[in-house]
Amino acid sequence: MAVVVGFIPTDVGFAALDAARTEAERRGGPLILVNVVRDGVEDDPRHADEGQLDIAADHLRGAAVRVEVRQERTEDDIADVLLRVVEQERAELLVLGIRRQRELGRHLMGLTVQKLLLSSPSEVLVV
């Protein structure tokens, strides 16, 4: 079954990528990396440029499953895009990275993570 990882080009994003690779290999893959770019907010540091996507693809080179790297552009909510990919791919797992802070609850209040945790038709792994 497919594993989808919402990727951002940060240390947290690469930690999520590692966890997603492990899970995809354990579950028989494929692994689908998705970076979402919101139109009109192109300077957001969560948006990966071509070079960062290449680095992520290199990071996954040698995986024991098929790897697909996607960048989705949207005017919609980031969570909606990830949920659509999970549904289209019939993914078994969605992997998300969150910043490390003392209070996990502060992150769960983020709209994107909260929406994904509550709405995903698949299991969700938060790294």
Side-chain angles (χ1 to χ4, degrees), residues 41-55:
V41 197
E42 282 76 11
D43 60 343
D44 188 326
R46 294 173 294 184
H47 299 166
D49 62 30
E50 189 174 324
Q52 291 165 322
L53 290 175
D54 289 343
I55 291 168

Side-chain angles (χ1 to χ4, degrees), residues 45-126:
R46 294 173 294 184
H47 299 166
D49 62 30
E50 189 174 324
Q52 291 165 322
L53 290 175
D54 289 343
I55 291 168
D58 286 345
H59 191 79
L60 296 171
R61 196 168 315 283
V65 295
R66 179 176 60 83
V67 174
E68 182 178 337
V69 176
R70 297 184 191 175
Q71 188 166 56
E72 301 276 338
R73 297 191 72 85
T74 187
E75 293 178 2
D76 296 330
D77 185 59
I78 292 170
D80 289 338
V81 174
L82 291 171
L83 290 170
R84 186 184 75 240
V85 172
V86 166
E87 289 175 8
Q88 287 173 343
E89 298 296 333
R90 296 186 181 102
E92 184 175 63
L93 180 68
L94 171 63
V95 180
L96 304 170
I98 62 171
R99 294 170 297 200
R100 308 287 192 268
Q101 287 189 2
R102 293 179 190 252
E103 295 180 39
L104 179 60
R106 286 175 41 184
H107 284 291
L108 297 181
M109 297 308 293
L111 292 177
T112 300
V113 173
Q114 184 177 16
K115 185 172 185 176
L116 290 166
L117 285 171
L118 296 173
S119 302
S120 180
S122 69
E123 296 176 0
V124 179
L125 173 62
V126 178

